[in-house]
Amino acid sequence: QSPIAAAIYPSSKKRDALPACVRVALYLLWLEVMPLEKAKWEPVLAALPKPEDFLNDGGPMELWSEEEVELVECGQLIAEVRSRAVELRAHYDERVRPCWLQESASDGLLSGLDVPSFEEFQHAVCVVTSRAYGDGDAGCGTSSMLIPGVDLCNHADAGQQNTKHGLAPWGDFIVYAGQSIRKGEEVLVSYGPLPNRLLLAQFGFLLPGPLVSDTALVRLDGLFPATGDEGDGHAEASGGVPYNGPATAVSEAHAEALWAAGPGPGRLGAAG
């Protein structure tokens, strides 16, 4: 548990409502402004990506510009990324910033400390989501852990990683060889059964595919004529013919609604 999250949210119910990645991010932000604490953790903090690292090498899609996100041309992925960005902004505006300001006026851990900007908060969260390992059942609560050294290992698709890892009953995070690893050979771990779509969104990279975890996202919007309900000019541009322009969240949501209301799902069910 992050002591900063505990300081900001004395109520465990409110604290647990924060995503684990946000709680760890708050702790990172606190370490950065506490000289004594930062000195103890300096080797770990120095190894974490800086804003310029994400800018130069790629990073979570929440840090991409709108133009870069649109280039993906996957309406579902674009919608998911935008939804996470809105959710993160709400966490900051409605919970993190006001509670930090209130706590900084007291004699607690945040006494006299300036509240981090949204950009600093966003970067810290993206550092955690791109480097942390999770543990626990999603239905019962999960933990988010930064594991120095291990978080430098690259990801391999299912069956191609040469290690296994996990949290031991006594609390240590253990990585062990799943096969013989030669000197000079890269140590590869698994970030989980993630398709390329999620690897791109969360980490900013793709693996040569197809992957074991990959799923096909089929474009539906090109199957239906634009009706004008989308409100973005598709109908006018297409003249009522199927829309074949770049995929957008609006065009795909419109197509999914038409598909759900049509005979297709029933016929597929009958065929199954």
Side-chain angles (χ1 to χ4, degrees), residues 17-67:
L18 280 177
C21 61
V22 171
R23 298 198 296 269
V24 177
L26 289 174
Y27 192 39
L28 288 179
L29 290 169
W30 180 74
L31 289 176
E32 286 288 351
V33 296
M34 298 299 293
L36 294 179
E37 294 293 330
K38 184 176 182 179
K40 291 191 297 185
W41 291 94
E42 183 59 35
V44 175
L45 297 175
L48 296 176
K50 304 295 187 291
E52 55 269 23
D53 296 325
F54 282 144
L55 182 63
N56 295 330
D57 303 329
M61 286 182 64
E62 285 92 332
L63 299 176
W64 295 15
S65 68
E66 277 294 315
E67 292 76 13

Side-chain angles (χ1 to χ4, degrees), residues 205-251:
F205 70 84
L206 298 170
L207 292 179
L211 309 183
V212 173
S213 306
D214 264 339
T215 54
L217 298 178
V218 180
R219 285 279 302 271
L220 294 177
D221 45 357
L223 302 177
F224 301 99
T227 64
D229 296 335
E230 299 159 68
D232 58 0
H234 289 345
E236 291 77 2
S238 65
V241 301
Y243 173 64
N244 292 311
T248 67
V250 173
S251 70

Side-chain angles (χ1 to χ4, degrees), residues 134-146:
D135 182 71
D137 186 342
C140 303
T142 59
S143 59
S144 185
M145 303 168 287
L146 289 174

